[in-house]
PDB file of all heavy atoms in Angstrom:
ATOM      1  N   LEU A 322     -20.979  -3.773  24.244  1.00 98.00           N
ATOM      2  CA  LEU A 322     -20.191  -4.994  24.064  1.00 98.00           C
ATOM      3  C   LEU A 322     -20.629  -6.082  25.046  1.00 98.00           C
ATOM      4  O   LEU A 322     -20.729  -5.834  26.246  1.00 98.00           O
ATOM      5  CB  LEU A 322     -18.708  -4.735  24.313  1.00 98.00           C
ATOM      6  CG  LEU A 322     -17.984  -3.739  23.425  1.00 98.00           C
ATOM      7  CD1 LEU A 322     -16.479  -3.836  23.674  1.00 98.00           C
ATOM      8  CD2 LEU A 322     -18.294  -3.999  21.958  1.00 98.00           C
ATOM      9  N   LEU A 333     -16.346 -11.922  22.017  1.00 98.00           N
ATOM     10  CA  LEU A 333     -16.585 -10.544  22.444  1.00 98.00           C
ATOM     11  C   LEU A 333     -17.439  -9.907  21.366  1.00 98.00           C
ATOM     12  O   LEU A 333     -16.955  -9.586  20.287  1.00 98.00           O
ATOM     13  CB  LEU A 333     -15.251  -9.802  22.589  1.00 98.00           C
ATOM     14  CG  LEU A 333     -15.343  -8.320  22.959  1.00 98.00           C
ATOM     15  CD1 LEU A 333     -15.974  -8.138  24.323  1.00 98.00           C
ATOM     16  CD2 LEU A 333     -13.958  -7.692  22.937  1.00 98.00           C
ATOM     17  N   ALA A 344     -16.020  -0.886  16.206  1.00 98.00           N
ATOM     18  CA  ALA A 344     -14.746  -0.210  16.508  1.00 98.00           C
ATOM     19  C   ALA A 344     -14.341  -0.452  17.959  1.00 98.00           C
ATOM     20  O   ALA A 344     -13.157  -0.627  18.266  1.00 98.00           O
ATOM     21  CB  ALA A 344     -14.869   1.289  16.235  1.00 98.00           C
ATOM     22  N   ARG A 345     -15.317  -0.486  18.840  1.00 98.00           N
ATOM     23  CA  ARG A 345     -15.003  -0.728  20.262  1.00 98.00           C
ATOM     24  C   ARG A 345     -14.451  -2.128  20.495  1.00 98.00           C
ATOM     25  O   ARG A 345     -13.634  -2.346  21.385  1.00 98.00           O
ATOM     26  CB  ARG A 345     -16.253  -0.524  21.124  1.00 98.00           C
ATOM     27  CG  ARG A 345     -16.372   0.895  21.636  1.00 98.00           C
ATOM     28  CD  ARG A 345     -17.443   0.999  22.703  1.00 98.00           C
ATOM     29  NE  ARG A 345     -17.059   0.430  23.988  1.00 98.00           N
ATOM     30  CZ  ARG A 345     -17.929  -0.024  24.904  1.00 98.00           C
ATOM     31  NH1 ARG A 345     -19.232   0.026  24.671  1.00 98.00           N
ATOM     32  NH2 ARG A 345     -17.502  -0.511  26.047  1.00 98.00           N
ATOM     33  N   VAL A 346     -14.919  -3.102  19.697  1.00 98.00           N
ATOM     34  CA  VAL A 346     -14.387  -4.464  19.822  1.00 98.00           C
ATOM     35  C   VAL A 346     -12.870  -4.464  19.551  1.00 98.00           C
ATOM     36  O   VAL A 346     -12.085  -5.007  20.326  1.00 98.00           O
ATOM     37  CB  VAL A 346     -15.090  -5.443  18.849  1.00 98.00           C
ATOM     38  CG1 VAL A 346     -14.387  -6.798  18.835  1.00 98.00           C
ATOM     39  CG2 VAL A 346     -16.556  -5.605  19.215  1.00 98.00           C
ATOM     40  N   TYR A 347     -12.485  -3.810  18.447  1.00 98.00           N
ATOM     41  CA  TYR A 347     -11.056  -3.750  18.111  1.00 98.00           C
ATOM     42  C   TYR A 347     -10.273  -3.066  19.235  1.00 98.00           C
ATOM     43  O   TYR A 347      -9.186  -3.490  19.608  1.00 98.00           O
ATOM     44  CB  TYR A 347     -10.847  -2.962  16.817  1.00 98.00           C
ATOM     45  CG  TYR A 347     -11.208  -3.713  15.554  1.00 98.00           C
ATOM     46  CD1 TYR A 347     -12.460  -3.600  14.973  1.00 98.00           C
ATOM     47  CD2 TYR A 347     -10.273  -4.534  14.918  1.00 98.00           C
ATOM     48  CE1 TYR A 347     -12.795  -4.268  13.803  1.00 98.00           C
ATOM     49  CE2 TYR A 347     -10.586  -5.202  13.749  1.00 98.00           C
ATOM     50  CZ  TYR A 347     -11.860  -5.071  13.200  1.00 98.00           C
ATOM     51  OH  TYR A 347     -12.169  -5.740  12.048  1.00 98.00           O
ATOM     52  N   GLU A 348     -10.861  -1.981  19.748  1.00 98.00           N
ATOM     53  CA  GLU A 348     -10.202  -1.182  20.775  1.00 98.00           C
ATOM     54  C   GLU A 348      -9.973  -1.980  22.059  1.00 98.00           C
ATOM     55  O   GLU A 348      -8.874  -2.016  22.589  1.00 98.00           O
ATOM     56  CB  GLU A 348     -11.131  -0.027  21.087  1.00 98.00           C
ATOM     57  CG  GLU A 348     -10.493   1.291  21.342  1.00 98.00           C
ATOM     58  CD  GLU A 348     -11.625   2.293  21.498  1.00 98.00           C
ATOM     59  OE1 GLU A 348     -12.113   2.778  20.463  1.00 98.00           O
ATOM     60  OE2 GLU A 348     -12.047   2.530  22.654  1.00 98.00           O
ATOM     61  N   VAL A 349     -11.049  -2.615  22.535  1.00 98.00           N
ATOM     62  CA  VAL A 349     -10.983  -3.334  23.809  1.00 98.00           C
ATOM     63  C   VAL A 349     -10.030  -4.526  23.718  1.00 98.00           C
ATOM     64  O   VAL A 349      -9.300  -4.834  24.655  1.00 98.00           O
ATOM     65  CB  VAL A 349     -12.405  -3.778  24.245  1.00 98.00           C
ATOM     66  CG1 VAL A 349     -12.355  -4.819  25.344  1.00 98.00           C
ATOM     67  CG2 VAL A 349     -13.195  -2.571  24.701  1.00 98.00           C
ATOM     68  N   LYS A 350     -10.007  -5.197  22.582  1.00 96.00           N
ATOM     69  CA  LYS A 350      -9.106  -6.344  22.401  1.00 96.00           C
ATOM     70  C   LYS A 350      -7.675  -5.924  22.100  1.00 96.00           C
ATOM     71  O   LYS A 350      -6.749  -6.710  22.235  1.00 96.00           O
ATOM     72  CB  LYS A 350      -9.591  -7.177  21.200  1.00 96.00           C
ATOM     73  CG  LYS A 350     -10.392  -8.379  21.535  1.00 96.00           C
ATOM     74  CD  LYS A 350     -10.527  -9.297  20.306  1.00 96.00           C
ATOM     75  CE  LYS A 350      -9.284 -10.109  20.050  1.00 96.00           C
ATOM     76  NZ  LYS A 350      -9.411 -11.528  20.302  1.00 96.00           N
ATOM     77  N   GLY A 351      -7.516  -4.696  21.621  1.00 95.00           N
ATOM     78  CA  GLY A 351      -6.202  -4.282  21.125  1.00 95.00           C
ATOM     79  C   GLY A 351      -5.901  -5.007  19.825  1.00 95.00           C
ATOM     80  O   GLY A 351      -4.750  -5.328  19.518  1.00 95.00           O
ATOM     81  N   ARG A 352      -6.952  -5.288  19.062  1.00 94.00           N
ATOM     82  CA  ARG A 352      -6.788  -6.056  17.821  1.00 94.00           C
ATOM     83  C   ARG A 352      -6.516  -5.109  16.659  1.00 94.00           C
ATOM     84  O   ARG A 352      -7.199  -4.097  16.508  1.00 94.00           O
ATOM     85  CB  ARG A 352      -8.079  -6.823  17.563  1.00 94.00           C
ATOM     86  CG  ARG A 352      -8.085  -7.739  16.339  1.00 94.00           C
ATOM     87  CD  ARG A 352      -9.383  -8.514  16.366  1.00 94.00           C
ATOM     88  NE  ARG A 352      -9.605  -9.351  15.226  1.00 94.00           N
ATOM     89  CZ  ARG A 352      -9.760 -10.688  15.313  1.00 94.00           C
ATOM     90  NH1 ARG A 352      -9.657 -11.290  16.464  1.00 94.00           N
ATOM     91  NH2 ARG A 352     -10.025 -11.387  14.228  1.00 94.00           N
ATOM     92  N   ASN A 439     -10.472 -12.260  24.246  1.00 96.00           N
ATOM     93  CA  ASN A 439      -9.191 -12.186  24.945  1.00 96.00           C
ATOM     94  C   ASN A 439      -8.406 -10.995  24.402  1.00 96.00           C
ATOM     95  O   ASN A 439      -8.651 -10.561  23.284  1.00 96.00           O
ATOM     96  CB  ASN A 439      -8.385 -13.461  24.694  1.00 96.00           C
ATOM     97  CG  ASN A 439      -8.241 -13.762  23.215  1.00 96.00           C
ATOM     98  OD1 ASN A 439      -9.207 -14.165  22.559  1.00 96.00           O
ATOM     99  ND2 ASN A 439      -7.068 -13.536  22.665  1.00 96.00           N
ATOM    100  N   PRO A 440      -7.445 -10.471  25.188  1.00 95.00           N
ATOM    101  CA  PRO A 440      -6.575  -9.441  24.625  1.00 95.00           C
ATOM    102  C   PRO A 440      -5.844 -10.023  23.410  1.00 95.00           C
ATOM    103  O   PRO A 440      -5.497 -11.205  23.401  1.00 95.00           O
ATOM    104  CB  PRO A 440      -5.583  -9.158  25.764  1.00 95.00           C
ATOM    105  CG  PRO A 440      -6.236  -9.667  27.009  1.00 95.00           C
ATOM    106  CD  PRO A 440      -7.105 -10.799  26.589  1.00 95.00           C
ATOM    107  N   PHE A 441      -5.631  -9.206  22.396  1.00 94.00           N
ATOM    108  CA  PHE A 441      -5.041  -9.671  21.142  1.00 94.00           C
ATOM    109  C   PHE A 441      -3.736 -10.460  21.371  1.00 94.00           C
ATOM    110  O   PHE A 441      -2.868 -10.025  22.113  1.00 94.00           O
ATOM    111  CB  PHE A 441      -4.756  -8.479  20.226  1.00 94.00           C
ATOM    112  CG  PHE A 441      -4.160  -8.885  18.921  1.00 94.00           C
ATOM    113  CD1 PHE A 441      -4.926  -9.554  17.987  1.00 94.00           C
ATOM    114  CD2 PHE A 441      -2.826  -8.630  18.640  1.00 94.00           C
ATOM    115  CE1 PHE A 441      -4.382  -9.951  16.774  1.00 94.00           C
ATOM    116  CE2 PHE A 441      -2.258  -9.027  17.441  1.00 94.00           C
ATOM    117  CZ  PHE A 441      -3.041  -9.695  16.507  1.00 94.00           C
ATOM    118  N   THR A 455      -9.203 -10.932  32.182  1.00 96.00           N
ATOM    119  CA  THR A 455      -8.340 -10.286  31.183  1.00 96.00           C
ATOM    120  C   THR A 455      -8.946  -9.019  30.577  1.00 96.00           C
ATOM    121  O   THR A 455      -8.225  -8.082  30.278  1.00 96.00           O
ATOM    122  CB  THR A 455      -7.956 -11.252  30.039  1.00 96.00           C
ATOM    123  OG1 THR A 455      -9.155 -11.756  29.439  1.00 96.00           O
ATOM    124  CG2 THR A 455      -7.111 -12.405  30.546  1.00 96.00           C
ATOM    125  N   LEU A 456     -10.275  -8.976  30.394  1.00 97.00           N
ATOM    126  CA  LEU A 456     -10.883  -7.787  29.785  1.00 97.00           C
ATOM    127  C   LEU A 456     -11.632  -6.927  30.809  1.00 97.00           C
ATOM    128  O   LEU A 456     -11.814  -5.732  30.606  1.00 97.00           O
ATOM    129  CB  LEU A 456     -11.822  -8.181  28.644  1.00 97.00           C
ATOM    130  CG  LEU A 456     -11.159  -8.892  27.457  1.00 97.00           C
ATOM    131  CD1 LEU A 456     -12.204  -9.230  26.401  1.00 97.00           C
ATOM    132  CD2 LEU A 456     -10.043  -8.059  26.834  1.00 97.00           C
ATOM    133  N   ARG A 459     -14.025  -3.394  30.867  1.00 97.00           N
ATOM    134  CA  ARG A 459     -14.108  -2.762  29.538  1.00 97.00           C
ATOM    135  C   ARG A 459     -15.209  -3.378  28.686  1.00 97.00           C
ATOM    136  O   ARG A 459     -15.577  -2.872  27.640  1.00 97.00           O
ATOM    137  CB  ARG A 459     -12.758  -2.860  28.833  1.00 97.00           C
ATOM    138  CG  ARG A 459     -11.765  -1.831  29.371  1.00 97.00           C
ATOM    139  CD  ARG A 459     -10.403  -2.027  28.780  1.00 97.00           C
ATOM    140  NE  ARG A 459      -9.837  -3.304  29.208  1.00 97.00           N
ATOM    141  CZ  ARG A 459      -8.793  -3.871  28.648  1.00 97.00           C
ATOM    142  NH1 ARG A 459      -8.223  -3.328  27.613  1.00 97.00           N
ATOM    143  NH2 ARG A 459      -8.335  -5.017  29.122  1.00 97.00           N
ATOM    144  N   VAL A 460     -15.731  -4.555  29.144  1.00 98.00           N
ATOM    145  CA  VAL A 460     -16.863  -5.190  28.481  1.00 98.00           C
ATOM    146  C   VAL A 460     -18.116  -4.820  29.274  1.00 98.00           C
ATOM    147  O   VAL A 460     -18.080  -4.803  30.495  1.00 98.00           O
ATOM    148  CB  VAL A 460     -16.705  -6.722  28.511  1.00 98.00           C
ATOM    149  CG1 VAL A 460     -17.794  -7.392  27.691  1.00 98.00           C
ATOM    150  CG2 VAL A 460     -15.329  -7.129  28.017  1.00 98.00           C
TER     151      VAL A 460
END
Side-chain angles (χ1 to χ4, degrees):
L322 299 191
L333 177 63
R345 268 192 74 205
V346 171
Y347 284 94
E348 218 175 277
V349 165
K350 261 193 78 110
R352 183 173 175 120
N439 53 288
F441 180 70
T455 57
L456 297 180
R459 283 174 294 166
V460 186

